[in-house]
Amino acid sequence: MSLYREKAVVLRSYKFAEADRIIVLLSENSGKIRAVAKGIRKTTSRVGARLEPLSHVDVQLYRGRDLDTVRQVDLIDTHTAMRVNLKQLEQGLSMVEAVDKLTPDREPVPHIYTMLSRALRALNDGSSPIIVGAFYWKLLASEGVAPTLEDCVRCGVSTDLVAIDIQEGGILCRSCRSGTAISQTALDILRQINSGGLAAALALEETPAVREVNHIAMGLMEAHLERRLRSIGLFDRHL
Ligand SMILES: [Zn+2]
């Protein structure tokens, strides 16, 4: 078996056999990895604490055919502050859950690894009411499916834009509208996130527009994941 080493974020873990767990990791260079961590359900296991979801670790693994095996784990960051604040913990878990659903096994996605580790660090430094929405939006953009925000995607007008539709791939004016309603303030926030103003967006207070951006980004993420699952299902049937 070959040994390799990766930096990774723990996305989730689940029980396996008597005392083992399967750890799902998003690694820097090897994409999403599933690995067995042996004996970590024993209460004395120090490795177990390092492999909690949201931990940022440096891990040595044996490559297996389906599952790898964890050999050694060093902590880069436990994100302790996030774990003791329920709101931040929920936000962190929403982010790793979306990444888990979005990424296929063993396909390198270094840009998503970078985005996730940065977002978790920012969240650990302090909660932001828009962090999950902004992170989902950036994830959708990295997948190439974030709706365009310039002009009405159907008729091209640049004023009176009132709706956003993932099926149409953009925003829509009052006469063409379909999908979800969007306010001008929420649209401005999304444009700000798109044009590199993420830090400024993260500093926003919770307002109706911020809640709207979260709601829109979560709805788009759900729609995208559903479509993806359906297309995978279709693919499977043709195999
Ligand atoms: Zn239009």
Side-chain angles (χ1 to χ4, degrees):
M1 282 199 288
S2 70
L3 189 64
Y4 70 107
R5 186 176 188 144
E6 274 283 1
K7 288 194 177 75
V9 173
V10 181
L11 301 179
R12 68 186 164 101
S13 71
Y14 51 94
K15 286 182 191 173
F16 183 69
E18 262 310 90
D20 304 343
R21 291 194 83 85
I22 304 277
I23 314 294
V24 184
L25 300 152
L26 185 76
S27 67
E28 185 172 25
N29 302 305
S30 312
K32 190 165 76 183
I33 300 167
R34 284 168 209 278
V36 188
K38 293 196 184 291
I40 69 163
R41 280 163 59 203
K42 293 173 195 152
T43 48
T44 50
S45 171
R46 280 168 57 215
V47 170
R50 293 176 194 163
L51 289 172
E52 289 286 319
L54 303 177
S55 281
H56 196 189
V57 292
D58 188 317
V59 62
Q60 266 188 358
L61 300 142
Y62 284 117
R63 172 91 62 204
R65 213 179 52 162
D66 299 314
L67 283 172
D68 296 353
T69 305
V70 176
R71 180 173 182 266
Q72 197 192 320
V73 188
D74 292 311
L75 263 181
I76 298 172
D77 199 335
T78 46
H79 298 121
T80 314
M82 193 193 310
R83 289 178 196 285
V84 296
N85 178 309
L86 189 62
K87 180 80 191 165
Q88 274 162 280
L89 180 65
E90 277 174 4
Q91 289 179 321
L93 292 173
S94 303
M95 295 200 272
V96 292
E97 191 190 338
V99 168
D100 185 26
K101 286 183 176 159
L102 206 66
T103 49
D105 285 6
R106 298 199 197 211
E107 193 176 290
V109 282
H111 59 291
I112 295 183
Y113 165 83
T114 305
M115 238 161 52
L116 179 63
S117 41
R118 277 188 194 155
L120 289 177
R121 208 179 312 136
L123 179 58
N124 195 62
D125 289 345
S127 183
S128 151
I130 206 171
I131 196 161
V132 176
F135 180 72
Y136 281 9
W137 184 265
K138 299 286 268 183
L139 265 184
L140 292 167
S142 80
E143 292 275 293
V145 295
T148 60
L149 301 177
E150 299 319 309
D151 305 315
C152 174
V153 76
R154 250 187 241 166
C155 75
V157 301
S158 58
T159 53
D160 206 18
L161 300 161
V162 297
I164 187 161
D165 191 339
I166 196 170
Q167 313 289 347
E168 296 280 340
I171 45 169
L172 296 134
C173 74
R174 197 170 297 277
S175 347
C176 305
R177 72 182 160 208
S178 61
T180 314
I182 187 168
S183 70
Q184 184 62 46
T185 321
L187 179 57
D188 289 341
I189 296 173
L190 285 175
R191 284 175 170 165
Q192 187 181 29
I193 294 170
N194 264 7
S195 57
L198 185 59
L202 291 181
L204 291 170
E205 301 284 321
E206 183 155 4
T207 59
V210 162
R211 282 195 290 275
E212 201 185 331
V213 168
N214 279 331
H215 179 74
I216 288 170
M218 283 174 204
L220 293 178
M221 180 59 80
E222 260 169 41
H224 176 59
L225 289 173
E226 247 169 54
R227 267 207 307 200
R228 236 185 116 250
L229 285 177
R230 271 205 303 274
S231 70
I232 292 167
L234 209 66
F235 183 67
D236 282 346
R237 280 200 293 279
H238 288 286
L239 281 179

